[in-house]
Amino acid sequence: MTLFRVVLVLIFITLAGYTSVVISNYGMGLLPIFFGDMAKMQWPGQFNLDFMFMLSLSGLWVAWRHQFSAIGIILGIIAVFGGALFLSAYLFIESFRVQGDMKALMLGHERATQ
C-alpha cells in the first residue's frame, strides 16, 4: 500500500507541475483544442476521444463506488473533469479512510463488507 500511495503522490505532483506550466504558457483554453482535435479526425483527436472515454469510466466508477449517492455523483463529475489529478488525490485520501484495504478501496466500504 505504501508504494501505491507513493505512486499516487508522484502522479499528483508531476501532473500538477506540468499542468501549471501549460496553463501559464497557454491559458485555460483546453476545451476548444481538445474537441477541435477530435473534429479533425486525426491521431490527436483519436487519443482525445479515447481519453474522454477513460475519464467517463473513471467518473462512473467513482459514482458507483459511492452507490450513486448525491456526493458520489458530484465526485464522479469532478473525476471526469479532474482526470488523474483528481483521481490520484481521491485514491490517496480514500486509501487512508479504508485503512489500506484494497478491496474496500476499489469497491467502496459498503460493498467490500457485504
Side-chain angles (χ1 to χ4, degrees), residues 36-65:
D37 281 346
M38 283 195 283
K40 292 176 188 173
M41 300 291 290
Q42 297 174 350
W43 281 114
Q46 186 280 339
F47 179 84
N48 290 355
L49 183 64
D50 185 285
F51 180 57
M52 187 175 70
F53 287 140
M54 292 296 291
L55 290 171
S56 298
L57 289 172
S58 170
L60 282 170
W61 172 74
V62 169
W64 171 85
R65 189 178 176 278

Side-chain angles (χ1 to χ4, degrees), residues 68-88:
F68 294 98
S69 64
I71 191 68
I73 292 169
I74 291 167
L75 288 171
I77 292 168
I78 294 170
V80 170
F81 290 99
L85 196 61
F86 166 80
L87 197 59
S88 60

